[in-house]
Amino acid sequence: MTFNDGLATGGLTPNEAPTGVIAKALRWDLLNDWVRYLNDHRHPDKTAEMAYVWGFINRDIGGDTLRCLWGKHETDFSTFAETVWLLHREFSEGAGADKHPLFADLPLIPADILFRKIASASAPVFRKLTEDQMLKILRKAPQDYDAMR
């Protein structure tokens, strides 16, 4: 399901998108890119810094979804923080493997690599913050959400 499909199903505008719609769209974009990276034979050492950069981080994902995510950062921080927390738990802490079989055999994405991927893909579509500012916010968001709960 694309981000726009998720909105159309609920009759929502991007400003009204709930956590589930944003997280679901980003989950599939990230999952697709991660699987492509793992199966890309141009980068045999999957844990090398430059392999992460050129094989995973620098691939663009979901512009509309990321624009909405950062819009939530401005208007509804709890939704933003929850979305980042969910993605972090699924991809970096392994919580996705018990909810969806597609995660079961995949290696975890290191948290810093996940946050760098989101910041890198966000920079061209949300220009109010620099990539470094986004990265700082993303790294802190899971702890912010834990504090809100």
Side-chain angles (χ1 to χ4, degrees):
M1 174 184 291
T2 68
F3 178 67
N4 291 330
D5 292 341
L7 291 177
T9 302
L12 303 170
T13 66
N15 292 340
E16 299 169 324
T19 302
V21 172
I22 300 167
K24 188 177 287 188
L26 285 175
R27 178 182 301 121
W28 289 112
D29 284 344
L30 289 165
L31 188 61
N32 285 332
D33 267 8
W34 186 238
V35 170
R36 276 190 213 122
Y37 169 68
L38 293 173
N39 291 317
D40 186 347
H41 300 293
R42 291 178 295 168
H43 308 285
D45 182 359
K46 300 299 183 199
T47 61
E49 175 67 17
M50 292 315 292
Y52 280 133
V53 171
W54 293 110
F56 181 63
I57 294 171
N58 285 350
R59 289 185 182 180
D60 288 337
I61 59 170
D64 290 337
T65 311
L66 292 169
R67 207 173 291 111
C68 183
L69 176 70
W70 289 101
K72 291 294 184 184
H73 174 262
E74 294 181 315
T75 62
D76 183 3
F77 185 77
S78 63
T79 298
F80 170 84
E82 182 181 14
T83 303
V84 174
W85 176 82
L86 284 168
L87 294 171
H88 175 258
R89 284 200 21 87
E90 291 174 348
F91 286 102
S92 300
E93 293 180 352
D98 60 353
K99 293 186 177 165
H100 202 288
L102 289 177
F103 286 97
D105 294 327
L106 294 177
L108 299 176
I109 301 173
D112 192 58
I113 299 301
L114 175 67
F115 297 145
R116 287 171 55 195
K117 167 72 172 178
I118 295 170
S120 174
S122 297
V125 299
F126 190 81
R127 298 180 185 264
K128 292 181 181 180
L129 298 169
T130 67
E131 188 173 331
D132 288 338
Q133 290 170 318
M134 290 178 187
L135 186 55
K136 184 177 178 180
I137 292 165
L138 289 164
R139 285 178 176 150
K140 193 171 177 302
Q143 292 82 23
D144 291 342
Y145 182 71
D146 279 338
M148 286 185 243
R149 295 181 352 158

